[in-house]
Amino acid sequence: MIDSISDFTLPPGIKRFEDVQKEEASKEIKRTSTLGQAEFLKLMTTQLQHQDPLKPMDNGEFLGQMAQFSTVTGITEMSTALSKITEGFDTQRKMQTVGLIGKDVLVNDTNAELTEAKGLRGLVDLETASNQVQIQISNGAGEVVHIVDMGRKFSGQHTFHWDGVLDSGEKAELGNYAVSAVALNNTGTVNPSVKVYGQVAGVRFVKDSSEVMVELAGRGEIELGDIERIGE
């Protein structure tokens, strides 16, 4: 005699209602977990495609986001897919960096190269309006060889250019020169910061590192992150 429903034995192949519910719940958990992976991969891919090539996401930050997702989901198979994304990210960033070769870039430096084609160029950054702004260009001996008189300027960034012609009318020697700025405002004389343009001659990828070095013609290497602007 069967005392209760729980003592009843179902025929082979027939499942209890409670067991069916558990199986469906398990399938739903697995389905939503897989959807989370797809959404995460799409998000990360979009983020990498639209990042600033001059300020790419740090590898540590990228791996940290991957680790957080893996911890939350507990899905170990994500590592293979994410490794492929990382490789694609590095390749894309390298291609973008190689594309800088031959372009003029603005860097926060006071040493600029005078070239036959483009002269010497840069910009001065004024914190306040100035009644008189001058750009002083000095040779390797520290001698001022030319002054670019910019006159009165409002606060902000202002470009300057020297074609390489000296006050005597002669052409200055091509090569590197030191650049500095002097401005006269209501408080007296100040020395605003200057930035100069240089042409990218090559790029170097540091082995086993995310660091990228950029070689400027006649100037040596700088870090990719030191570039503030591409072109004029």
Side-chain angles (χ1 to χ4, degrees):
M1 178 178 179
I2 299 176
D3 296 326
S4 64
I5 294 178
S6 60
D7 294 332
F8 181 73
T9 301
L10 293 174
I14 304 299
K15 298 180 180 179
R16 294 179 183 275
F17 178 71
E18 293 84 352
D19 295 334
V20 174
Q21 283 185 315
K22 290 180 180 179
E23 290 180 1
E24 291 299 323
S26 177
K27 291 179 181 179
E28 179 64 17
I29 291 174
K30 184 176 181 180
R31 186 191 68 80
T32 55
S33 175
T34 303
L35 181 61
Q37 293 181 49
E39 291 174 341
F40 178 77
L41 290 173
K42 184 178 180 180
L43 253 175
M44 291 301 298
T45 301
T46 303
Q47 184 178 1
L48 295 175
Q49 289 175 343
H50 294 85
Q51 67 177 338
D52 186 350
L54 298 183
K55 298 179 180 178
M57 181 188 296
D58 182 77
N59 278 356
E61 178 185 354
F62 181 62
L63 292 174
Q65 292 188 17
M66 293 191 295
Q68 289 179 6
F69 182 80
S70 297
T71 301
V72 173
T73 61
I75 302 175
T76 57
E77 60 265 26
M78 283 293 293
S79 60
T80 301
L82 291 174
S83 294
K84 292 181 179 180
I85 290 181
T86 304
E87 293 174 2
F89 157 63
D90 287 338
T91 301
Q92 180 187 31
R93 185 161 62 93
K94 288 179 179 179
M95 292 300 295
Q96 289 174 332
T97 307
V98 170
L100 292 175
I101 296 177
K103 295 185 179 296
D104 292 330
V105 295
L106 183 71
V107 296
N108 187 13
D109 197 0
T110 58
N111 294 313
E113 184 185 20
L114 173 65
T115 65
E116 181 71 31
K118 297 183 179 180
L120 185 152
R121 301 172 302 136
L123 63 79
V124 57
D125 195 352
L126 300 176
E127 294 184 358
T128 61
S130 299
N131 297 322
Q132 181 71 27
V133 180
Q134 290 184 340
I135 304 299
Q136 298 182 348
I137 302 172
S138 306
N139 59 20
E143 302 170 338
V144 176
V145 298
H146 186 72
I147 293 177
V148 179
D149 194 345
M150 302 182 67
R152 178 178 297 180
K153 294 293 181 181
F154 290 107
S155 61
Q157 295 184 337
H158 304 275
T159 60
F160 61 84
H161 173 260
W162 178 42
D163 58 7
V165 178
L166 300 171
D167 294 339
S168 62
E170 298 179 353
K171 284 277 190 177
E173 293 185 8
L174 302 179
N176 292 330
Y177 289 84
V179 181
S180 61
V182 178
L184 178 64
N185 56 30
N186 294 333
T187 62
T189 302
V190 295
N191 297 104
S193 63
V194 295
K195 301 173 183 179
V196 296
Y197 280 99
Q199 188 178 66
V200 178
V203 295
R204 179 171 64 88
F205 305 103
V206 181
K207 186 177 180 180
D208 299 327
S209 171
S210 61
E211 186 178 12
V212 178
M213 303 301 294
V214 177
E215 180 187 355
L216 298 182
R219 301 264 305 283
E221 289 185 333
I222 62 171
E223 294 184 4
L224 178 64
D226 291 335
I227 296 177
E228 298 193 8
R229 185 184 300 174
I230 301 175
E232 295 186 16

